[in-house]
Structure formats: structure tokens, C-alpha cells
């Protein structure tokens, strides 16, 4: 007869053995659930919005969302960052993006300090207005991800 190894230092009567196995499985499941509950959950990016040919996500309010958006910047052709001169993030910035060489301007209001933009390849003029200041830059989108950092 084979020897069964048991986590118990004593033998359970046959009719109680299934209960011991159930208790062992339940305690293991509880430990796995406790680990899953304590694991950090990835922050969800804000919903995608559209303005003409532009698809964008603006946010970054709160540490988790800001971290997630900064990590996602490498996956977008153009990212915009808005901050004050002292480094504090700025939100509610008006943005106007105009294709160089013609085309309709795209406008949005950035509800957070980070905007992830999906644009067709090309050259664009980006104008922003926030904290009582206006700034503009020209950027070439297409080959590698670009980031424009605006300070107010």
C-alpha cells in the first residue's frame, strides 16, 4: 500500500479526510486572493476623444493616471505636457493644432497636464493658451514620438 504524505501531523478518519483537503484548498485560495487584492492595479487611461483627424487622450490628474500616461507617451506620435514654471502641472489648457500646408485646424481643451495625440504624419503648428499665456511651436510628426513641453 502506498504511503500518502499529508500536511497534517496526524491521520484524519476517512470520513473527515475530504474536509481536511477542503480546508487546505480554501486557505490556499484565501492567500492567493489576498495577494491579488494587494497587487497594484494599472491605471486606466482617459477615454479617447476626437477632433477632426485627431484622436487624443488628456489627463494625468493623480499619481496613478499621470504615471500611466507618461509611460504611454512612447506609443503616441505626439504628446503635450503642460506645467507652470515652478513645475506644478497645469490643466484646462486650450489647444489648437493646424496642419502646415493647409487643412482644417483641430481644437481641444486639455482637461489634464498630459495629452497623448494620434495624428497623421506631417508638420503641425501647435498653439496653446493657459494660465493667461499663449505659446506656439511647430513639430514634425511621424518618424519617432515627439513631446512638446509647455511652461506657463
Amino acid at each position: 500500500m502506498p504511503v500518502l504524505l499529508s500536511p497534517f501531523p496526524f491521520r484524519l478518519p476517512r470520513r473527515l479526510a475530504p474536509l481536511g483537503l477542503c480546508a487546505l484548498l480554501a486557505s490556499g485560495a484565501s492567500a492567493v486572493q489576498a495577494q491579488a487584492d494587494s497587487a497594484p492595479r494599472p491605471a486606466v487611461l482617459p477615454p479617447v476623444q476626437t477632433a477632426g483627424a485627431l484622436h487624443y487622450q488628456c489627463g494625468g490628474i493623480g499619481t496613478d493616471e499621470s504615471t500611466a500616461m507618461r509611460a504611454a507617451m512612447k506609443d503616441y506620435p505626439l504628446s503635450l505636457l503642460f506645467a507652470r514654471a515652478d513645475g506644478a502641472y497645469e490643466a484646462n489648457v486650450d489647444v489648437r493644432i493646424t496642419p502646415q500646408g493647409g487643412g482644417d485646424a483641430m481644437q481641444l481643451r486639455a482637461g489634464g497636464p498630459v495629452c497623448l495625440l494620434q495624428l497623421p504624419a506631417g508638420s503641425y503648428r501647435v498653439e496653446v493658451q493657459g494660465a493667461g499665456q499663449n505659446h506656439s511651436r511647430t513639430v514634425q510628426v511621424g518618424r519617432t514620438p515627439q513631446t512638446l513641453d509647455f511652461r506657463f
Side-chain angles (χ1 to χ4, degrees):
M1 178 174 241
V3 176
L4 296 176
L5 298 177
S6 170
F8 303 104
F10 57 90
R11 278 207 147 139
L12 291 174
R14 279 185 176 243
R15 69 178 193 272
L16 296 179
L19 295 176
L21 179 60
C22 289
L24 178 64
L25 291 174
S27 67
S30 296
V32 169
Q33 183 62 39
Q35 285 178 342
D37 288 344
S38 66
R41 292 188 173 98
V44 176
L45 296 176
V48 175
Q49 298 182 38
T50 304
L54 170 67
H55 299 282
Y56 65 95
Q57 295 166 278
C58 293
I61 308 286
T63 304
D64 290 345
E65 189 176 272
S66 177
T67 301
M69 292 195 73
R70 283 181 162 276
M73 289 170 72
K74 66 185 180 345
D75 300 323
Y76 289 80
L78 181 61
S79 299
L80 307 177
L81 292 173
F82 308 113
R84 295 189 305 224
D86 65 3
Y89 283 140
E90 187 70 35
N92 300 317
V93 175
D94 292 315
V95 179
R96 180 180 175 93
I97 301 171
T98 308
Q100 298 292 91
D104 293 333
M106 299 159 273
Q107 297 184 68
L108 64 106
R109 183 166 187 104
V114 182
C115 287
L116 307 173
L117 310 174
Q118 287 286 354
L119 285 166
S123 183
Y124 296 90
R125 179 171 185 80
V126 179
E127 301 169 275
V128 299
Q129 180 180 14
Q133 298 179 30
N134 297 318
H135 299 282
S136 67
R137 301 223 183 103
T138 301
V139 64
Q140 184 68 38
V141 173
R143 292 192 182 168
T144 60
Q146 301 290 320
T147 300
L148 298 179
D149 189 350
F150 294 97
R151 299 292 169 150
F152 300 96

